[in-house]
C-alpha cells in the first residue's frame, strides 16, 4: 500500500501531467493508491440488452432501473427556446419506440448522431406524457462485443472534469490500466489472517479488482463486504487505540467518595425522584470516575430527559471528592439558564456557583477569577469564556459540555490544560445519535443514554398542515395567545438559498405582525449581530414578546415553559432530527403543546413519509435512525459539527451496522491484549494505522 501511495499518478499509462493535475485538483487523486481506492459510487448492469416492449413490465416491479437498449434514432428535432431549448429524438428497436431528450450540448449531439446507425443507449427510462423517455443517455455505436459486458462501476466526476472531457469512462479506463499494471503483484494485506479466515474474506487484491470490475454480483458483494470491513476495522482500531492510550497515559482523578454534597442534595433538595434512566447513567458515570481512568463520556438524552440534573449531581460528586467542576454551554442564554437552575439547587447544599461568560463585567470577573483560583467557587457555569487562558482553577476535576456539537474540537482541547491531570469530561447532547453513528463518530467515547422521560410529560401533539389551512392555523394560534401562551414560528434558512430564505423570513415576520397586532413579535436569525439576537431572545424569554419568528437558531436550549406552539414553515425542508429538536422547545410546561408542520406545497412520497414519522413518534432515537436511513449519515446533526473528519469511502453507517459492530469487537479484542500495538504480531496493524491516519489531524486525543 505504502509503495502504491508513493507512485505518482501521472506515471500511470493514460494519465500524464495534464490529467494528473485534474485528478489531483478535482478528486484528490495523486497516487496509484488514491486511484485504486477511488471506488465506484454505483454499478450499472450491462449484462443485458433490453427490448422497448419490456419496459412496462420492468417498471411494474418497482423503480425503473438503468438499462440499455439497442436500436436506431429517427427524427431529430430541436424544440423550445433559451433555457428550454432541447433536442428530441425517437429511438426504436423493432419492438417499440421511446423518446430521447437532451437539454444541453444540443448542437454537438445532433451532429454526432446518425439515423440508420445501430446504437446502444444506456439510461433510466421515465414516463413523460404517457410515453417512455430517457434524458441524456450514454450512447455508443453498437459493436458485438458490447453484448454481455457485465457490471460496470460508475465514478463520481465533477462538472469541471466533464467540461474537460473527463468522463466516468475515462476513470474506468484508467482503473483498467491500473489493474493491468498491478496484475501479478501481490498487494500486501494488512488484515490479520485469523480475521480473513473468520469472515472468509476475499484476498485484498481480489477485493480491489472486483470492487472496480466485478466478475459477478456475488463477487461484488464479497468485495464490498471485505472493503467495508477494512475501513471500519481500521477506524475502530484507531479510535480504541487512542482512547486506551489516553487512559493509560493520563490516568484520572479517582472519585471514590459519595459525600455530603451529593447525599444532601439527593435526600433533601432533589424535588422529584430520579427516573430509572437517570439513576442508571449516574451509576455508569460514578463507576467511570471511580476507576482511576479519565472519563470521556457522551451522555445522550432527548430534550427534557433531565440531563442537567445528571450533570449537576455529577459535579457534586466532584466537589465531594475535593474538586471543582464547570459546565460549558454553547450560548450566553443557555449558560444563563443553566446558571439559574444550578445555582438555585446547588446553593441549597452550600455550593458556591458562578457564571462566567463573555459579557461578565470586569468587576465581576475580578471577583470570580480569584474565587476559581483559590477553590472557593465549586461550580462554574459558562460559555467559551471558560476556556480562556486567564481562567485558572485550583483543582478542576470535572467538566460538563452541554450541546457539544456546537463546540469546536480545538476549544475542547483547551480544557485539557486546565489541570495537570485532565478533568473528567461529560459531553451532553440532546440530538439522539443512532448507535452505529455514535460508535463511529464518537467511537473513542463511552456512551450513556437516558432513554426515558420524567413521568407526566404530555407528548407534544404534532400535526401536518398545508397552506390552504393557514387561516385555521392562525385562528388556533390566536386562541393560544389569548390564553396567555407564547408561540414560536420557525423558517428554514439554508446557505444555498439564503437570500430567498431571508426574504421569506422577513415577509413572514411582517405578516405575523399584521395578523396579530395586539401582541409583540420578536425576530431572531443567525445573521444578526449577537447583541441584537440576544436582545430579541430575551424579549421572548422574559415574556415581553409573545411570538418569536426565527430560524433554527432557537433550536438549542431556549427554555420557555409558557411556549405551547411550535409552528414550522416549509417543514419539508428540515431534517427530521432538526424538527425533533425544534419540537422539543415546546411541551416544557403544564399546558398541552402543539407542533404544527406547515408545508406550502402538497408533498408526497418520501417527503410526506418523513413528516409523517414526526407526527407518529416522539422517540428521538427512532427519529434519528429514520433520519439517517433517509438522508444518509453525512447530513446528520453532530457529524459535520463534531469536527471529526468523516470520510468513509465505502462503508455506510446507516446500513452497515452489523459490520461496524463486528469490526469494533475485533478491534477491541486486539487492543485489549495489546493496547499500543507494540507486539510483533501486530506490527503490520500499527504500520497500516500510521499509513492511514498520518495525514489526519490528531483529533482523537481531544474530546
Ligand atoms: P434536558 O437538559 O435533558 O433537556 P432538563 O435537565 O432541562 O432536560 O430537564 C427538563 C425538565 O425536567 C426540567 O424542568 C427538570 O427540572 C425536569 N426533570 C428532570 N428530571 C426529572 C425527574 N426525574 N422527574 C421530574 N422532572 C424532572
Ligand atoms: Mg438541556
Amino acid at each position: 500500500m505504502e509503495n502504491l501511495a508513493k507512485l505518482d499518478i501521472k506515471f500511470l499509462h493514460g494519465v500524464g501531467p495534464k490529467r494528473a493535475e485534474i485528478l489531483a485538483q478535482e478528486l484528490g487523486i495523486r497516487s496509484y493508491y488514491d486511484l485504486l481506492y477511488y471506488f465506484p459510487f454505483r454499478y450499472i448492469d450491462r449484462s443485458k440488452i433490453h427490448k422497448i416492449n419490456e419496459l412496462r413490465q420492468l417498471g411494474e416491479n418497482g423503480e425503473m432501473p438503468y438499462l440499455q437498449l439497442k436500436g436506431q434514432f429517427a427524427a431529430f428535432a430541436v424544440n423550445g427556446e433559451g433555457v428550454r431549448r432541447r433536442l428530441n429524438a425517437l429511438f426504436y428497436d423493432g419492438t417499440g419506440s421511446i423518446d430521447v431528450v437532451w437539454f444541453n450540448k444540443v448542437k454537438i449531439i445532433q451532429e454526432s448522431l446518425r439515423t440508420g446507425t445501430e446504437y446502444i443507449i444506456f439510461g433510466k427510462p421515465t414516463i413523460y406524457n404517457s410515453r417512455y423517455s430517457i434524458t441524456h443517455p450514454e450512447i455508443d455505436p453498437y459493436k458485438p462485443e458490447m453484448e454481455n459486458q457485465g457490471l460496470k462501476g460508475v465514478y463520481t466526476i465533477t462538472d469541471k472534469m466533464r467540461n474537460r472531457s473527463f468522463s466516468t469512462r475515462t476513470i474506468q479506463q484508467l482503473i483498467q490500466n491500473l489493474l493491468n499494471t498491478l496484475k501479478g503483484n501481490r498487494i500486501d494485506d494488512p488484515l490479520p489472517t485469523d480475521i480473513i479466515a473468520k469472515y472468509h474474506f476475499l484476498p485484498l487484491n481480489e477485493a480491489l479488482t472486483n470492487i472496480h470490475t466485478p466478475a459477478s454480483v456475488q463477487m461484488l458483494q464479497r468485495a464490498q463486504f471485505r472493503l467495508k470491513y477494512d475501513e471500519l476495522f481500521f477506524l475502530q482500531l484507531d479510535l480504541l487505540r487512542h482512547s486506551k492510550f489516553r487512559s493509560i497515559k493520563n490516568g484520572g482523578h479517582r472519585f471514590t467518595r459519595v459525600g455530603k454534597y451529593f447525599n444532601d442534595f439527593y435526600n433533601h433538595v432533589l424535588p422529584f425522584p430520579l427516573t430509572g434512566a437517570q439513576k442508571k447513567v449516574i451509576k455508569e458515570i460514578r463507576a467511570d470516575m471511580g476507576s482511576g481512568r479519565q472519563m470521556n463520556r457522551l451522555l445522550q438524552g432527548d430534550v427534557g430527559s433531565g440531563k442537567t440534573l445528571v450533570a449537576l449531581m455529577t459535579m457534586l460528586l466532584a466537589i465531594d471528592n475535593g474538586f471543582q467542576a464547570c459546565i460549558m454551554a454553547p450560548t450566553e442564554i443557555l449558560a444563563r439558564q443553566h446558571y439559574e437552575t444550578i445555582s438555585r439547587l446547588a446553593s441549597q447544599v452550600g455550593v458556591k456557583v458562578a457564571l462566567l461568560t463573555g459579557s461578565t463585567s470586569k468587576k465581576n470577573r475580578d471577583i470570580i477569577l480569584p474565587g476559581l483560583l483559590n477553590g472557593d467557587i465549586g461550580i462554574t457555569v459558562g460559555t467559551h469564556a471558560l476556556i480562556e487562558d486567564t481562567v485558572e482553577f485550583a483543582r478542576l476535576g470535572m467538566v460538563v459540555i452541554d450541546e457539544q456539537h456546537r463546540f469546536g474540537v480545538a476549544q475542547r482541547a483547551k480544557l485539557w490544560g486546565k489541570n495537570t491531570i485532565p478533568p473528567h469530561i461529560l459531553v451532553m447532547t440532546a440530538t439522539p445519535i443512532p448507535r452505529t453513528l455514535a460508535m463511529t463518530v464518537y467511537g473513542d467515547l463511552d456512551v450513556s443514554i437516558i432513554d426515558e422521560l420524567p413521568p407526566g410529560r404530555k407528548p407534544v401533539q404534532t400535526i401536518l398542515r398545508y397552506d390552504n389551512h393557514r387561516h385555521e392555523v392562525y385562528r388556533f394560534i390566536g386562541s393560544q395567545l389569548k390564553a396567555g401562551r407564547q408561540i414560536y414560528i420557525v423558517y428554514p434558512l439554508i446557505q444555498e438559498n439564503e437570500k430567498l430564505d431571508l426574504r421569506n423570513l422577513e415577509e413572514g415576520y411582517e405578516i405575523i405582525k399584521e395578523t396579530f397586532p395586539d401582541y409583540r413579535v420578536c425576530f431572531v436569525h443567525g445573521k444578526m449581530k449577537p447583541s441584537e439576537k440576544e436582545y430579541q431572545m430575551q424579549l421572548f424569554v422574559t415574556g415581553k414578546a409573545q411570538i418569536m419568528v426565527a430560524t433554527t437558531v432557537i433550536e438549542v436550549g431556549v427554555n420557555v415553559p409558557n411556549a405551547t406552539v411550535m409552528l414550522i414553515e416549509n417543514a419539508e425542508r428540515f431534517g427530521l432530527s432538526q424538527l425533533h429538536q425544534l419540537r422539543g422547545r415546546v411541551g416544557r410546561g403544564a399546558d398541552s403543546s402543539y407542533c404544527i408542520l406547515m408545508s406550502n406545497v402538497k408533498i408526497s412520497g418520501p417527503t410526506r413519509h418523513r413528516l409523517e414519522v414526526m407526527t407518529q413518534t416522539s422517540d428521538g432515537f427512532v427519529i434519528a435512525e429514520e433520519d439517517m436511513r433517509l438522508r444518509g449519515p453525512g447530513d446528520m446533526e453532530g457529524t459535520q459539527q463534531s469536527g471529526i473528519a468523516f470520510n468513509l469511502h465505502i462503508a455506510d453507517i446507516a446500513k452497515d451496522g452489523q459490520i461496524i459492530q463486528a469490526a469494533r469487537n475485533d478491534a477491541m479484542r486486539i487492543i485489549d491484549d495489546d493496547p499500543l500495538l507494540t507486539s510483533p504480531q501486530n506490527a503490520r496493524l500499527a504500520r497500516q494505522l500510521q499509513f492511514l491516519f498520518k495525514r489526519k489531524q490528531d483529533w482523537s486525543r481531544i474530546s
Side-chain angles (χ1 to χ4, degrees):
M1 283 303 145
E2 287 158 72
N3 298 340
L4 290 178
K6 282 183 194 131
L7 284 172
D8 192 324
I9 195 70
K10 77 174 172 226
F11 299 121
L12 181 69
H13 177 63
V15 180
K18 266 225 184 80
R19 280 185 163 174
E21 200 184 305
I22 302 178
L23 283 170
Q25 255 172 20
E26 297 300 302
L27 304 179
I29 295 173
R30 296 186 169 78
S31 66
Y32 282 31
Y33 173 86
D34 293 340
L35 183 63
L36 191 58
Y37 274 83
Y38 193 66
F39 298 154
F41 73 96
R42 67 179 168 85
Y43 296 85
I44 54 184
D45 186 357
R46 290 233 149 170
S47 59
K48 193 164 164 37
I49 295 173
H50 288 277
K51 296 279 182 233
I52 291 174
N53 67 1
E54 296 168 358
L55 291 182
R56 179 191 298 271
Q57 206 201 337
L58 281 165
E60 273 167 4
N61 304 331
E63 205 188 337
M64 179 68 83
Y66 281 82
L67 47 78
Q68 52 188 352
L69 300 167
K70 183 174 83 175
Q72 301 184 14
F73 287 104
F76 291 98
V78 178
N79 294 307
E81 290 195 17
V83 286
R84 313 207 57 190
R85 198 170 118 96
R86 63 194 185 275
L87 174 65
N88 293 81
L90 205 65
F91 186 82
Y92 62 98
D93 72 350
T95 72
S97 72
I98 62 163
D99 296 324
V100 181
V101 192
W102 295 267
F103 291 99
N104 40 43
K105 297 198 183 149
V106 163
K107 197 152 170 250
I108 303 177
I109 287 164
Q110 192 175 10
E111 282 168 4
S112 67
L113 296 177
R114 317 242 165 287
T115 53
T117 303
E118 199 128 48
Y119 290 101
I120 295 277
I121 68 170
F122 178 84
K124 182 177 172 164
T126 52
I127 294 182
Y128 184 74
N129 281 344
S130 60
R131 276 182 59 77
Y132 281 107
S133 85
I134 301 187
T135 309
H136 290 213
E138 272 181 39
I139 303 170
D140 293 292
Y142 172 75
K143 291 188 209 114
E145 63 265 30
M146 284 176 178
E147 308 265 355
N148 215 344
Q149 292 186 88
L151 290 170
K152 280 224 132 125
V154 182
Y155 299 85
T156 307
I157 50 168
T158 64
D159 284 341
K160 220 171 179 176
M161 295 174 75
R162 220 167 274 125
N163 291 337
R164 297 168 76 169
S165 3
F166 214 121
S167 64
T168 187
R169 290 265 182 100
T170 322
I171 307 261
Q172 282 167 356
Q173 191 52 56
L174 296 180
I175 298 261
Q176 197 53 60
N177 297 349
L178 177 61
L179 293 175
N180 292 342
T181 310
L182 298 180
K183 207 168 269 171
N185 294 334
R186 215 175 62 84
I187 293 178
D188 213 15
D189 196 331
L191 219 51
T193 45
D194 58 330
I195 290 184
I196 296 177
K198 177 172 162 190
Y199 299 102
H200 306 289
F201 278 142
L202 287 178
L204 184 55
N205 51 354
E206 268 184 60
L208 286 165
T209 305
N210 278 284
I211 203 73
H212 290 291
T213 52
S216 65
V217 172
Q218 198 217 356
M219 284 303 273
L220 172 61
Q221 283 166 348
R222 291 190 64 190
Q224 285 170 327
F225 178 41
R226 157 84 215 237
L227 294 168
K228 283 176 177 194
Y229 179 92
D230 277 16
E231 186 165 61
L232 294 165
F233 172 75
F234 285 106
L235 182 63
Q236 290 299 332
L237 203 60
D238 190 54
L239 289 164
L240 293 168
R241 178 180 63 153
H242 274 295
S243 77
K244 207 44 168 231
F245 174 71
R246 200 162 56 191
S247 62
I248 291 172
K249 177 169 153 266
N250 295 313
H253 305 291
R254 196 187 284 274
F255 294 177
T256 47
R257 270 164 46 121
V258 180
K260 175 176 163 318
Y261 291 111
F262 187 94
N263 283 328
D264 271 4
F265 181 82
Y266 189 74
N267 295 325
H268 306 303
V269 181
L270 191 62
F272 32 64
L274 293 175
T275 64
Q278 283 171 319
K279 282 189 190 154
K280 178 192 71 182
V281 303
I282 290 176
K283 223 174 176 174
E284 287 166 358
I285 291 169
R286 268 184 50 194
D288 208 357
M289 295 197 306
S291 71
R293 293 187 307 125
Q294 184 220 9
M295 176 173 78
N296 274 284
R297 187 167 284 273
L298 178 69
L299 176 60
Q300 290 195 62
D302 229 327
V303 211
S305 60
K307 293 185 296 296
T308 313
L309 204 64
V310 169
L312 173 59
M313 294 179 73
T314 306
M315 292 193 287
L316 291 176
L317 278 175
I319 296 170
D320 271 335
N321 286 274
F323 286 88
Q324 294 163 290
C326 69
I327 174 166
M328 280 211 299
T331 68
E332 184 101 22
I333 291 210
L334 260 179
R336 214 172 302 153
Q337 277 178 5
H338 276 323
Y339 175 70
E340 272 155 29
T341 314
I342 288 171
S343 61
R344 183 169 47 80
L345 294 170
S347 64
Q348 296 177 60
V349 292
V351 171
K352 216 166 173 181
V353 183
L355 174 68
L356 189 67
T357 72
S359 62
T360 304
S361 67
K362 168 136 189 352
K363 198 173 118 214
N364 278 335
R365 279 179 80 90
D366 286 347
I367 300 169
I368 293 169
L369 292 186
L372 295 177
L373 201 53
N374 67 24
D376 240 15
I377 296 172
I379 295 177
T380 317
V381 184
T383 55
H384 295 78
L386 275 180
I387 58 179
E388 283 165 22
D389 294 333
T390 49
V391 181
E392 290 176 66
F393 294 85
R395 274 167 73 80
L396 183 62
M398 165 84 228
V399 176
V400 181
I401 303 175
D402 195 10
E403 311 291 0
Q404 60 78 39
H405 58 261
R406 307 273 156 149
F407 271 108
V409 168
Q411 290 156 335
R412 277 193 260 156
K414 280 197 149 188
L415 286 168
W416 282 70
K418 297 276 175 196
N419 200 341
T420 37
I421 294 180
H424 294 299
I425 296 200
L426 184 67
V427 174
M428 304 201 292
T429 175
T431 312
I433 304 166
R435 216 169 52 87
T436 53
L437 184 62
M439 266 196 278
T440 312
V441 178
Y442 302 106
D444 63 334
L445 303 186
D446 296 307
V447 178
S448 286
I449 295 177
I450 307 187
D451 50 6
E452 179 186 359
L453 289 182
R457 285 287 158 79
K458 285 190 216 153
V460 179
Q461 254 193 65
T462 304
I463 39 181
L464 178 57
R465 283 284 176 270
Y466 295 107
D467 240 9
N468 53 353
H469 287 105
R470 190 168 286 276
H471 271 303
E472 284 163 44
V473 169
Y474 282 170
R475 220 174 15 245
F476 175 70
I477 287 179
S479 70
Q480 290 282 309
L481 286 167
K482 210 159 182 181
R485 305 284 93 83
Q486 286 166 282
I487 316 287
Y488 293 104
I489 300 178
V490 177
Y491 281 80
L493 180 69
I494 56 165
Q495 243 154 22
E496 298 92 80
N497 213 356
E498 197 171 273
K499 272 207 181 117
L500 200 66
D501 281 350
L502 269 175
R503 182 139 36 90
N504 278 344
L505 176 71
E506 275 158 13
E507 272 171 22
Y509 173 56
E510 294 303 328
I511 291 171
I512 291 297
K513 275 199 300 191
E514 277 166 35
T515 314
F516 302 103
D518 301 338
Y519 299 95
R520 185 155 179 196
V521 186
C522 65
F523 184 54
V524 186
H525 61 79
K527 299 274 145 199
M528 284 176 156
K529 273 198 285 196
S531 58
E532 174 65 9
K533 194 164 82 186
E534 194 75 18
Y535 172 77
Q536 294 282 335
M537 290 252 210
Q538 279 304 330
L539 285 180
F540 193 73
V541 170
T542 54
K544 287 182 190 131
Q546 292 76 39
I547 305 176
M548 177 193 273
V549 175
T551 58
T552 51
V553 288
I554 61 158
E555 198 182 311
V556 167
V558 183
N559 185 24
V560 180
N562 189 44
T564 54
V565 180
M566 168 62 69
L567 175 73
I568 303 172
E569 297 283 354
N570 292 113
E572 75 281 355
R573 290 179 51 200
F574 290 87
L576 284 186
S577 294
Q578 219 174 6
L579 291 174
H580 182 64
Q581 286 286 303
L582 287 167
R583 177 166 63 181
R585 296 303 108 209
V586 294
R588 308 195 135 215
D591 305 291
S592 297
S593 295
Y594 308 87
C595 176
I596 306 171
L597 307 173
M598 290 295 289
S599 176
N600 55 12
V601 281
K602 279 268 180 223
I603 45 171
S604 56
T607 316
R608 194 185 164 93
H609 171 71
R610 244 159 38 89
L611 294 183
E612 276 169 354
V613 171
M614 288 302 298
T615 64
Q616 283 155 11
T617 180
S618 55
D619 183 328
F621 284 95
V622 172
I623 289 171
E625 294 282 354
E626 190 68 15
D627 206 16
M628 185 163 83
R629 210 174 58 75
L630 294 167
R631 288 198 303 163
D635 282 339
M636 297 291 291
E637 213 80 359
T639 52
Q640 301 111 322
Q641 294 102 324
S642 70
I644 291 170
F646 191 75
N647 47 5
L648 293 175
H649 280 97
I650 180 164
D652 180 338
I653 292 180
K655 297 189 188 126
D656 299 325
Q658 282 180 333
I659 309 182
I660 295 177
Q661 188 67 67
R664 187 167 172 88
N665 294 346
D666 294 336
M668 191 99 77
R669 222 173 12 251
I670 293 172
I671 293 291
D672 278 344
D673 282 350
D674 181 15
L676 304 180
L677 299 179
T678 44
S679 83
Q681 92 225 33
N682 289 326
R684 206 162 344 147
L685 291 177
R687 254 180 92 108
Q688 180 71 1
L689 285 182
Q690 164 100 19
F691 168 67
L692 288 174
F693 295 106
K694 73 170 170 247
R695 264 178 302 182
K696 277 205 205 151
Q697 191 189 343
D698 192 5
W699 47 266
S700 29
R701 259 184 321 109
I702 304 165
S703 51

